[in-house]
Amino acid sequence: MFDDLMDGNARYAESFDLADMPGQAARGVGIVCCMDSRLDPPAIFDLKVGDAKVLRTPGGRLTPDAHIGLIVGSHVLGIDRIVMLAHTKCAMASGDDTSVIEKVRQTDGTDLSGMRIGSTPDQMAGLRHDVATLRRDPLVAADVCGMVYDVTTGQVERVC
């Protein structure tokens, strides 16, 4: 079931040349974005491997683990700029947690009742909330910006 991935890794390892790359974000960027497979965060901002720390969450929301990652990253991993990157046509912006939980139940019967996913039909309000949360956190030692990526044009708009 995973043979294709192992074969791909073998091809990757043949020309691997990143052994001496430091673990710091060379361009000082931390990006929180959605796990949507249409997003390639480094490419969106013309960044290379090693330039940024990328954290992916459903809907690109500021989850507790992402928040911790940004705090640590801003102190020891070279992050001095944080981009909260939402995107158009996001499934997590198509409803609230209740509707997403119901969709999962209808799809395969799994009960996610009580799980906090972070879905919101008001994606911009969610983005503004997450940006504000980071900006007022004294443990986050970085500038914070909210942006929206358009999956149809590839363009990014700075919104907060």
Side-chain angles (χ1 to χ4, degrees):
M1 182 177 277
F2 296 94
D3 289 347
D4 61 326
L5 300 178
M6 296 307 296
D7 292 344
N9 176 252
R11 288 187 299 278
Y12 174 78
E14 286 175 6
S15 61
F16 184 74
D17 64 352
L18 303 175
D20 296 322
M21 181 174 286
Q24 299 285 320
R27 300 265 306 267
V29 180
I31 302 170
V32 177
C33 68
C34 188
M35 54 194 255
D36 189 304
S37 56
R38 294 173 290 184
L39 277 65
D40 183 354
I44 289 169
F45 295 107
D46 194 28
L47 300 170
K48 313 260 181 298
V49 172
D51 284 347
K53 300 295 182 186
V54 178
L55 306 169
R56 289 181 176 261
T57 67
R61 296 301 310 274
L62 183 63
T63 63
D65 285 342
H67 196 156
I68 291 166
L70 294 171
I71 290 168
V72 172
S74 71
H75 290 279
V76 298
L77 299 175
I79 294 173
D80 58 20
R81 298 179 288 167
I82 296 170
V83 175
M84 294 297 300
L85 184 64
H87 70 92
T88 59
K89 299 182 181 180
C90 181
M92 295 300 108
S94 65
D96 59 12
D97 283 1
T98 302
S99 63
V100 172
I101 288 167
E102 180 58 21
K103 183 175 182 176
V104 170
R105 190 191 64 71
Q106 288 177 0
T107 300
D108 64 14
T110 302
D111 183 6
L112 302 179
S113 296
M115 183 177 283
R116 184 182 179 287
I117 298 167
S119 302
T120 177
D122 190 346
Q123 188 181 35
M124 290 304 101
L127 179 60
R128 284 190 296 275
H129 174 269
D130 291 346
V131 167
T133 298
L134 288 171
R135 285 180 176 164
R136 72 175 169 264
D137 185 339
L139 298 176
V140 175
D143 291 324
V144 183
C145 182
M147 300 181 188
V148 177
Y149 171 74
D150 188 322
V151 298
T152 10
T153 67
Q155 300 217 319
V156 172
E157 178 185 357
R158 186 176 179 164
V159 294
C160 55

